[in-house]
Amino acid sequence: MTARALFRLPYSDTYTIVEQGSGHPEELAAYGALDGREGFVIAPFAITAAEPLLLLRPDRIETRRTTSETEVAGRARRKHEADAADRRAYAGDFARCHSQLLAGRFAKLVLARRSTERMARRVDAEQLFLRACRLYPRMFVALVEAQRCGTWLFATPERLLSGTSDRWHTVALAGTQRLDGAAARFDCPPKPHAPADETIAWDGKNRREQRIVGDYIADTLRPLTTGLSRSEARTVRAGNVIHLRTDFDFTLAAGQGIGNVINALHPTPAVCGLPKDEARRFLTTAEHSPRSYYSGFMGPLNLCNETHLYVSLRCMAINGDSCSLYAGGGLLTDSIEEQEWLETEAKMETMRNVIGDTVTDE
């Protein structure tokens, strides 16, 4: 085995192991090269020579049952305290981005950051994956191990593209509120299609952010699809935070492949900004920490005739005895820097809860 991916679909009580037995995952130059292929996709925020689009060949596929243990719910861990240098760097990044929004160059920018946690001991990445499966039954959970990209763990709520050759699905996910108290500590298994909580109040900034993302996806998909339907925005949970979500269902138009859809959608305004191409170029220079495979996408491609590609959010890169956690938040002209910082901290708690008491206090 030279590379492998483990993934668990939302609400599932099983997970799948995909292994490549020899060689390295194929490096692809463009999303169109995914048309008609199968395997496990690992895509960065932006394709570069150093961070290529990878396709892991499915030489061996195995399905296993996840455990139903809930002991992780009350696992104690130290209180995280942000590094002062990280905080200052974020403030500088925010100022650069916000000034561009105020100048009218962008309608939205998504500012990302990275935080490194030192582990008390070297941990088993597969055990962290299984713990994430138990903690987050609503999310798509994946572990990727390959020489070209390193080791990454994801527990993401955002679907980029899923379906079969007949019908496809994507979502717009934006707006964030933090859950506090006992409800935030353990995400008990929900009903897959539970109604939205109408008691949740959303402010104007979050609703505008969701509308921007939803309108962009609808406008982008319309020329590539037929039978496009769009749901009303609803409140959904993702670990210790909640978001606004809109669902889209469609059929590909004649002559269109999923590579065209991916190229049009990725990166969505939920992880990048608008205008898309200009925002992506600006963010690669404005953010002091490179995103690498954070805010890219990954998942099974045409495995058993099904595709499930998810945006690479709520993730961390594992390197020996340290973990680099990533998070971002959408900025508009009325964004407040302290609030945006706290949003990224809330999102990073998804992976900090997985690490648990393996973090050192030093």
Side-chain angles (χ1 to χ4, degrees):
M1 186 270 294
T2 61
R4 69 169 183 166
L6 287 67
F7 70 91
R8 198 282 320 268
L9 295 176
Y11 309 107
S12 177
D13 59 0
T14 62
Y15 67 97
T16 302
I17 304 173
V18 182
E19 292 184 350
Q20 180 166 327
S22 62
H24 297 288
E26 187 177 356
E27 298 183 16
L28 305 176
Y31 305 123
L34 296 172
D35 288 344
R37 306 294 298 277
E38 69 171 9
F40 192 95
V41 178
I42 311 147
F45 175 63
I47 300 174
T48 66
E51 292 159 349
L53 171 64
L54 301 174
L55 181 62
L56 191 156
R57 189 177 67 244
D59 293 335
R60 189 179 80 87
I61 302 175
E62 178 185 354
T63 300
R64 296 180 183 175
R65 184 167 296 276
T66 56
T67 66
S68 59
E69 298 175 29
T70 58
E71 54 82 22
V72 295
R75 183 76 64 87
R77 68 182 302 276
R78 70 173 176 85
K79 177 178 174 59
H80 170 76
E81 295 182 1
D83 182 88
D86 285 348
R87 186 68 183 84
R88 288 192 300 271
Y90 180 84
D93 289 355
F94 179 92
R96 281 189 290 276
C97 290
H98 199 234
S99 66
Q100 296 297 309
L101 291 166
L102 294 175
R105 182 179 174 189
F106 300 104
K108 176 185 178 180
L109 287 171
V110 179
L111 176 59
R113 55 176 283 251
R114 179 180 66 192
S115 176
T116 299
E117 300 271 5
R118 183 67 59 182
M119 312 294 282
R121 58 185 179 276
R122 191 180 187 91
V123 298
D124 186 331
E126 187 167 345
Q127 290 304 311
L128 290 183
F129 165 81
L130 293 172
R131 188 163 191 244
C133 288
R134 296 194 294 272
L135 275 170
Y136 304 118
R138 306 169 192 252
M139 296 194 196
F140 177 85
V141 181
L143 172 68
V144 173
E145 297 176 310
Q147 182 179 357
R148 199 70 172 90
C149 65
T151 300
W152 288 78
L153 178 66
F154 309 86
T156 175
E158 185 171 352
R159 189 193 322 254
L160 178 69
L161 184 66
S162 66
T164 64
S165 58
D166 297 325
R167 197 68 179 164
W168 296 90
H169 182 79
T170 190
V171 303
L173 195 74
T176 301
Q177 291 189 51
R178 180 171 186 155
L179 288 173
D180 292 308
R185 286 199 294 270
F186 187 68
D187 192 356
C188 296
K191 297 178 180 178
H193 303 291
D197 186 348
E198 299 297 338
T199 66
I200 298 295
W202 290 93
D203 62 21
K205 184 264 182 184
N206 280 293
R207 289 194 176 278
R208 284 196 302 277
E209 186 180 349
Q210 169 64 11
R211 186 170 59 252
I212 287 171
V213 176
D215 289 349
Y216 166 82
I217 290 178
D219 292 343
T220 298
L221 289 176
R222 202 166 283 117
L224 304 174
T225 65
T226 60
L228 176 66
S229 66
R230 175 179 181 174
S231 74
E232 294 295 325
R234 60 190 177 97
T235 300
V236 295
R237 179 172 178 173
N240 65 321
V241 297
I242 53 176
H243 301 288
L244 284 167
R245 168 175 161 170
T246 303
D247 292 80
F248 298 85
D249 290 284
F250 56 92
T251 300
L252 292 179
Q256 298 293 341
I258 64 168
N260 292 339
V261 176
I262 292 171
N263 189 61
L265 288 177
H266 174 72
T268 73
V271 298
C272 182
L274 286 173
K276 181 179 78 170
D277 293 336
E278 292 87 341
R280 176 161 48 182
R281 285 193 294 268
F282 173 74
L283 290 169
T284 56
T285 60
E287 294 173 342
H288 75 281
S289 294
R291 294 193 183 193
S292 186
Y293 285 85
Y294 163 70
S295 68
F297 61 90
M298 44 70 217
L301 176 71
N302 290 329
L303 290 186
C304 301
N305 297 316
E306 292 187 2
T307 294
H308 300 279
L309 302 180
Y310 279 75
V311 182
S312 303
L313 305 176
R314 313 304 196 277
C315 65
M316 63 183 177
I318 303 171
N319 185 15
D321 63 350
S322 69
C323 294
S324 294
L325 285 62
Y326 294 79
L331 308 186
L332 302 179
T333 55
D334 55 351
S335 292
I336 299 171
E337 188 244 328
E338 177 66 15
Q339 292 178 0
E340 298 299 336
W341 166 266
L342 292 175
E343 179 177 319
T344 64
E345 284 288 284
K347 290 174 177 177
M348 284 184 178
E349 283 301 307
T350 299
M351 284 292 112
R352 289 187 180 124
N353 289 338
V354 175
I355 297 171
D357 58 4
T358 60
V359 178
T360 181
D361 286 320
E362 297 179 356

